[in-house]
Amino acid sequence: MHQYLFFIGSFPIRAYGLLFMLGIISAGITGYYIMKRDGRGWHVHIFDFTMYCGLSGIVGGRLWDVFFFDWAYYHNHLTEIPYVWQGGMAIQGGLLFGAIAGILYTKYHHIDTWAFADLLAPAIILGQSVGRMANLMNGDAFGHPTGGNFGIVYPDTTLAYHTYGNQPLWPAEVWEGQGDILIFVLLLFYSAFPHKKGQVFCLYVMLYAIERFFLEFLRGDYVNLTLGLKSAQMTSVIAFAIALIAFIILQWKGSRDTGDAMQK
């Protein structure tokens, strides 16, 4: 793994930044394909939507990481908060801020928010899987020591090495990326069957919350406990509960998305 891919003069091109942007682009392209196939004309919005939500997600992901994961460091290094290219992005904050931007965008353009979110959900989780490759290359979002001779040994330039040295670590970020691919497939499969508007997106939130909750037991890049759980686990529990309640309410009172070509 290489943190720096190459240099343009003295300016480094970081693997983290490149793969992070590829994750956003991958989500946008996948969303474009799904929405064009859907046939309601929403694909014309996808690139503007991706730009607004992507920028909001970067801001949210950075702020979430700074204040919920690494405040012990950043409160003494305030000027480094904007240095997003060095790594340090929390996916949950990015999703929250991105979702807020997405809701505002769909309301402004008079798009059915729930139906739009259903179509976009598989694209989002696919983009997340690419984003975890960025974490691997940057040596962050790493696991704690495996206690054996198996695991990932990170280069000495990474935060993982500075934290645990040359001990083999659980491949937490790799497994999360692989889990995201499985969620992507499950969402596409579920979308092929009749469902109420909003349920695909709720299912996405629930599945990712479950995945993240259990993988946090392997993470070793931070230890901020609340009621015996890490902050990301607490967020996952809350997100799962809200999504489950919404899923049930939509099943009871929601309307079927008759315009979804994936059900036809």
Side-chain angles (χ1 to χ4, degrees):
M1 63 190 71
H2 300 280
Q3 289 179 290
Y4 301 98
L5 296 177
F6 55 89
F7 288 80
I8 300 177
S10 60
F11 184 79
I13 302 300
R14 289 176 174 263
Y16 179 88
L18 181 61
L19 287 169
F20 186 88
M21 292 308 300
L22 283 176
I24 295 176
I25 293 170
S26 297
I29 292 174
T30 305
Y32 181 89
Y33 171 78
I34 292 174
M35 290 188 183
K36 189 168 185 179
R37 184 171 178 268
D38 175 72
R40 278 177 278 193
W42 291 343
H43 63 283
V44 300
H45 290 278
I46 197 64
F47 292 112
D48 286 343
F49 182 89
T50 301
M51 180 181 66
Y52 291 130
C53 292
L55 291 174
S56 299
I58 290 172
V59 173
R62 185 58 168 176
L63 293 178
W64 202 273
D65 179 78
V66 167
F67 291 107
F68 287 97
F69 294 101
D70 294 317
W71 182 241
Y73 173 83
Y74 283 108
H75 85 279
N76 290 321
H77 302 83
L78 295 177
T79 58
E80 295 185 24
I81 291 178
Y83 296 175
V84 295
W85 54 87
Q86 294 183 357
M89 303 285 286
I91 186 64
Q92 292 172 318
L95 292 174
L96 177 61
F97 276 58
I100 293 172
I103 292 171
L104 293 175
Y105 184 94
T106 54
K107 295 299 182 184
Y108 180 80
H109 290 279
H110 307 290
I111 297 171
D112 188 322
T113 302
W114 275 128
F116 193 88
D118 280 347
L119 294 172
L120 199 61
I124 296 172
I125 196 66
L126 182 64
Q128 288 177 230
S129 71
V130 177
R132 282 309 181 197
M133 298 179 197
N135 296 126
L136 174 64
M137 296 295 285
N138 201 47
D140 59 27
F142 47 86
H144 59 68
T146 62
N149 58 2
F150 59 93
I152 299 177
V153 178
Y154 291 85
D156 58 9
T157 57
T158 62
L159 177 61
Y161 186 91
H162 292 164
T163 304
Y164 292 112
N166 60 358
Q167 298 182 74
L169 308 181
W170 289 107
E173 72 274 58
V174 177
W175 286 352
E176 182 171 329
Q178 293 171 337
D180 289 345
I181 295 295
L182 293 178
I183 294 175
F184 170 74
V185 174
L186 289 173
L187 292 178
L188 289 180
F189 181 75
Y190 182 79
S191 298
F193 296 91
H195 57 268
K196 300 295 181 66
K197 285 190 291 187
Q199 287 189 315
V200 177
F201 187 80
C202 290
L203 182 62
Y204 151 67
V205 174
M206 288 189 287
L207 290 175
Y208 180 67
I210 293 171
E211 175 192 36
R212 184 63 186 271
F213 180 88
F214 287 104
L215 281 174
E216 281 297 310
F217 288 112
L218 300 180
R219 288 279 290 268
D221 51 329
Y222 73 101
V223 186
N224 297 328
L225 298 180
T226 303
L227 301 177
L229 297 175
K230 295 180 179 179
S231 55
Q233 290 176 310
M234 292 294 293
T235 306
S236 295
V237 170
I238 294 170
F240 179 87
I242 293 173
L244 177 60
I245 292 170
F247 187 94
I248 294 171
I249 292 175
L250 289 169
Q251 180 63 34
W252 180 34
K253 293 187 175 182
S255 58
R256 181 159 294 176
D257 189 0
T258 56
D260 190 347
M262 298 183 73
Q263 299 182 52
K264 297 177 181 177

